[in-house]
Amino acid sequence: MENIIRTYSPISLGEMSGIKLMNRTDTKFVTTVDRLRLLLTLAHDEYRAQEVDGRRIASYYTAYFDTPDNNMYIVHQNGHAGRQKLRIRSYVDTGLNFLEVKTKNNHGRTKKKRVDMVGFDPTHPDHGIRFLRQDEQFRSYDAFLSKHLRYDPTVLTEHLENHFRRITLVNKAKTERVTIDTDLCFHNIKTDRDVDLTGLVIIEVKRDGLQPSPILGMLRELRIKPSGFSKYCMGSALTNPSLKRNNFKERLRLVERLLSTTKINN
């Protein structure tokens, strides 16, 4: 994968600053590493690859919070609009960490608000974080959450964490961003269960509005169809057998089928 992405023209973080897409539409696709190699070959002339400190594949860590009764998961599983997620997102290579609130509205648009998570270490994560008014740092988090989160932050605890590697592409018109996540692994903090989805690829096409997208045609050509994939919900369903998962059964079967294909090809 590294060899293919190295043939792309680079784009720096500075150039990426105008493509934040904080209010956007997202379309996700799930496929295998073999199909991804074909896609990257097709997309070569239309996209540039984000490069940071010489790296074009970045390491990520995420910790997801939820209520004691898993309400954030349940609301999503039941298909309710206006749902929210709270997470810590760490850009491991650069040392940047953010506390983020993601809200998906009734029109399918995702809005993301975030604030620096000072002192968080994704290599030795603190699973005991509580949003109580303990000190000046946590008071600032409480102020952020009271403005953007509809849940009482004091009842939230960390439920799930993941690690993955990401390639980020930008089309040459700079109207969309494509993230490609590989080597996805989950650990459920509540059940102490792990799931390794290495071999699976999550592609997300992010556009501010309905801008033209070269890669959507390439995905159709490769018969890679849109498929919702919430990392929090899928990771939770795979690592916590007590959770309801009726509305995720089709996606779970897709994951199982793609992973089986990967094992056969290897």
Side-chain angles (χ1 to χ4, degrees):
M1 201 67 63
E2 184 77 34
N3 290 338
I4 299 174
I5 208 67
R6 278 286 162 196
T7 66
Y8 277 63
S9 299
I11 184 169
S12 68
L13 276 179
E15 292 177 274
M16 292 280 290
S17 61
I19 322 171
K20 292 180 180 178
L21 306 179
M22 300 296 276
N23 182 12
R24 69 192 189 219
T25 57
D26 305 335
T27 308
K28 292 183 181 178
F29 303 81
V30 184
T31 188
T32 63
V33 171
D34 288 340
R35 303 300 283 174
L36 172 60
R37 291 192 181 98
L38 294 174
L39 179 66
L40 290 175
T41 300
L42 289 174
H44 179 273
D45 294 335
E46 298 286 347
Y47 289 83
R48 299 164 68 187
Q50 179 180 290
E51 182 175 280
V52 180
D53 296 333
R55 288 184 293 266
R56 298 193 181 185
I57 303 180
S59 296
Y60 281 63
Y61 168 88
T62 317
Y64 295 93
F65 292 80
D66 210 331
T67 64
D69 61 353
N70 303 287
N71 185 260
M72 291 183 184
Y73 171 89
I74 291 169
V75 166
H76 194 143
Q77 201 277 152
N78 290 340
H80 294 171
R83 56 184 178 262
Q84 290 191 306
K85 291 188 179 69
L86 177 65
R87 71 187 188 188
I88 297 171
R89 167 58 57 83
S90 295
Y91 302 81
V92 177
D93 300 321
T94 60
L96 296 174
N97 307 286
F98 297 96
L99 181 65
E100 298 183 343
V101 175
K102 289 184 68 176
T103 303
K104 192 157 191 175
N105 66 22
N106 296 338
H107 305 289
R109 297 184 71 87
T110 300
K111 293 185 177 181
K112 183 169 67 175
K113 300 293 182 181
R114 67 185 189 182
V115 64
D116 286 342
M117 192 76 182
V118 179
F120 184 81
D121 182 1
T123 64
H124 298 89
D126 177 6
H127 293 154
I129 291 174
R130 300 291 183 272
F131 293 105
L132 304 174
R133 298 185 181 277
Q134 305 164 31
D135 53 33
E136 189 61 38
Q137 177 183 334
F138 271 77
R139 281 197 291 272
S140 69
Y141 299 153
D142 286 340
F144 166 77
L145 294 175
S146 66
K147 182 177 181 180
H148 299 293
L149 188 69
R150 293 193 292 268
Y151 291 85
D152 175 4
T154 64
V155 305
L156 301 176
T157 58
E158 293 164 89
H159 282 224
L160 186 78
E161 60 186 353
N162 67 34
H163 295 84
F164 60 92
R165 301 174 75 222
R166 171 170 288 183
I167 297 166
T168 300
L169 305 180
V170 177
N171 68 331
K172 293 191 174 178
K174 297 183 180 180
T175 57
E176 73 172 352
R177 187 170 70 236
V178 180
T179 59
I180 301 167
D181 297 341
T182 64
D183 301 322
L184 182 59
C185 299
F186 293 103
H187 172 69
N188 193 303
I189 297 164
K190 299 299 181 181
T191 66
D192 199 33
R193 293 195 179 195
D194 297 289
V195 168
D196 186 340
L197 298 185
T198 300
L200 202 71
V201 176
I202 313 302
I203 300 168
E204 188 167 9
V205 180
K206 307 176 183 184
R207 294 179 290 163
D208 194 354
L210 298 176
Q211 298 294 330
S213 169
I215 208 165
L216 289 181
M218 301 170 195
L219 288 160
R220 283 193 295 270
E221 181 180 340
L222 293 172
R223 298 182 180 180
I224 302 172
K225 298 178 181 179
S227 176
F229 191 101
S230 160
K231 290 189 185 70
Y232 175 56
C233 290
M234 296 302 289
S236 296
L238 288 165
T239 58
N240 188 346
S242 70
L243 292 174
K244 181 181 176 183
R245 64 194 69 196
N246 293 349
N247 290 338
F248 293 142
K249 283 184 178 179
E250 183 178 340
R251 293 167 200 172
L252 291 168
R253 282 195 293 267
L254 173 63
V255 168
E256 184 178 357
R257 187 168 66 251
L258 291 174
L259 290 175
S260 297
T261 301
T262 300
K263 291 175 182 177
I264 292 171
N265 291 338
N266 289 339

